[in-house]
Amino acid sequence: MDNSMPMLSCLLFLFLQCGFSSSNMDIFILAGQSNMAGRGGVKNGRFWDGNVPPECRSNPSILRLSASLQWEEAHEPLHLDIDLGKTCGVGPGLAFANEVLRIKGESVNMVMGLVPCAKGGTKIGEWSKGTSLYNELVRRAIESVKGNSGRTIRALLWYQGESDTVREEDAEGYSHNMEKFIMDLRSDLHLPNLLVIQVALASGEGKYIEKVRKGQLGLKLPNVKCVDAKGLPLKTDKLHLTTVSQVHLGMRLAHAYIASTTHHHHHQFINHSLTSYVTS
């Protein structure tokens, strides 16, 4: 009987938990609703076709924080153990990470950590300070850098708002609620300049899509960038992005991140509470 495979698995686990714990890691929080969690390739809302484009393939330099707060090599679907009760498929996260690595060059020994937090079908009000979703996001963000000064939260990638297009009051209040969410999150993470890259809606559950988009595109907070998903092909449900669209979105998010860091890399402060250096 060959005992080499269990031993290799054990060594890989130790490498991920110990080896990467001492490495520098750029961390990105992924939050919002179903199009961030990923529905690319999901058929009839129940079955994922398993198709992983080259841009979304696993890479030893890209890790994810699991639901049990363990670092592991990231793979699709990124939100499998996070967006429970839903069938997850391809989202923008791995395409984003692979594109950042491609642009920066993998020779720089860069490790990227993805922290999936998105939940399908959620309104912005369900992410307000004190809610279970907000508390879990903060908890996972803090855990991602805990006890290691080499880990740095670089940005929040946010794609949400489709559920706020049903009621006009929700759509009109979106901008205020989003601004409050960002300010609260920055305060609770002690990251006053945290980069937020939000996605402007490509679709919605209701008829007030343009009102939500106006709120998204009109946010005036500093260090908040917007990537527009409008025009990206949708699945037949007219709500979720296709796998190919998710790849394009991930690449757009990567380019927005690179452009932001290129202009702001010289401003640095230390976050004592989270024991990490943060570049704003």
Side-chain angles (χ1 to χ4, degrees):
M1 181 177 176
D2 185 2
N3 294 320
S4 61
M5 287 308 294
M7 181 63 72
L8 285 172
S9 297
C10 182
L11 288 172
L12 177 61
F13 176 80
L14 289 172
F15 177 63
L16 286 171
Q17 298 309 314
C18 301
F20 278 118
S21 67
S22 59
S23 302
N24 291 332
M25 189 189 298
D26 286 351
I27 293 172
F28 300 87
I29 303 166
L30 315 178
Q33 55 181 114
S34 57
N35 273 319
M36 177 57 80
R39 299 293 187 263
V42 174
K43 307 297 184 183
N44 302 318
R46 290 178 293 178
F47 309 103
W48 178 47
D49 63 14
N51 176 38
V52 178
E55 298 88 349
C56 302
R57 285 179 185 158
S58 297
N59 184 316
S61 296
I62 304 172
L63 306 182
R64 74 183 281 274
L65 191 68
S66 71
S68 58
L69 304 178
Q70 301 295 317
W71 287 109
E72 60 186 24
E73 186 170 318
H75 58 82
E76 297 289 4
L78 270 180
H79 280 76
L80 183 64
D81 58 349
I82 302 295
D83 192 12
L84 299 177
K86 308 287 176 62
T87 302
C88 293
V90 173
L94 266 168
F96 161 81
N98 276 309
E99 182 69 358
V100 170
L101 284 179
R102 187 192 69 79
I103 294 170
K104 288 202 167 189
E106 296 190 43
S107 60
V108 297
N109 295 321
M110 176 182 178
V111 176
M112 296 182 67
L114 305 178
V115 182
C117 298
K119 298 279 189 176
T122 52
K123 294 183 181 183
I124 186 65
E126 295 176 75
W127 291 89
S128 61
K129 183 179 174 74
T131 62
S132 59
L133 290 177
Y134 180 89
N135 292 341
E136 182 67 1
L137 188 158
V138 170
R139 182 178 78 97
R140 288 175 59 75
I142 290 174
E143 285 290 331
S144 73
V145 295
K146 194 172 183 179
N148 193 311
S149 60
R151 298 181 192 162
T152 305
I153 297 176
R154 296 293 183 187
L156 165 69
L157 308 184
W158 178 262
Y159 190 173
Q160 185 276 332
E162 292 92 343
S163 291
D164 291 280
T165 64
V166 178
R167 297 173 68 246
E168 189 170 14
E169 309 93 277
D170 293 335
E172 289 179 344
Y174 192 88
S175 179
H176 170 77
N177 288 328
M178 185 63 189
E179 285 189 2
K180 182 73 165 53
F181 166 74
I182 293 172
M183 291 188 292
D184 285 337
L185 187 64
R186 286 173 169 174
S187 175
D188 288 336
L189 294 181
H190 305 283
L191 298 173
N193 297 314
L194 175 66
L195 173 64
V196 176
I197 307 177
Q198 62 162 345
V199 179
L201 293 184
S203 60
E205 296 174 22
K207 64 181 182 180
Y208 298 108
I209 298 172
E210 287 307 318
K211 281 185 182 290
V212 173
R213 281 177 50 82
K214 182 180 178 182
Q216 293 172 326
L217 295 167
L219 280 182
K220 302 299 183 185
L221 290 178
N223 223 26
V224 176
K225 313 299 177 185
C226 194
V227 168
D228 200 344
K230 188 173 184 178
L232 288 174
L234 301 172
K235 294 165 58 177
T236 54
D237 62 11
K238 303 299 181 186
L239 182 63
H240 296 110
L241 299 186
T242 64
T243 296
V244 172
S245 294
Q246 288 285 14
V247 170
H248 285 298
L249 178 61
M251 295 174 76
R252 291 181 188 180
L253 287 165
H255 296 163
Y257 169 68
I258 295 294
S260 298
T261 55
T262 300
H263 292 104
H264 294 91
H265 71 277
H266 58 283
H267 298 300
Q268 191 177 67
F269 61 91
I270 187 167
N271 170 14
H272 298 283
S273 298
L274 301 186
T275 61
S276 67
Y277 280 99
V278 179
T279 301
S280 62

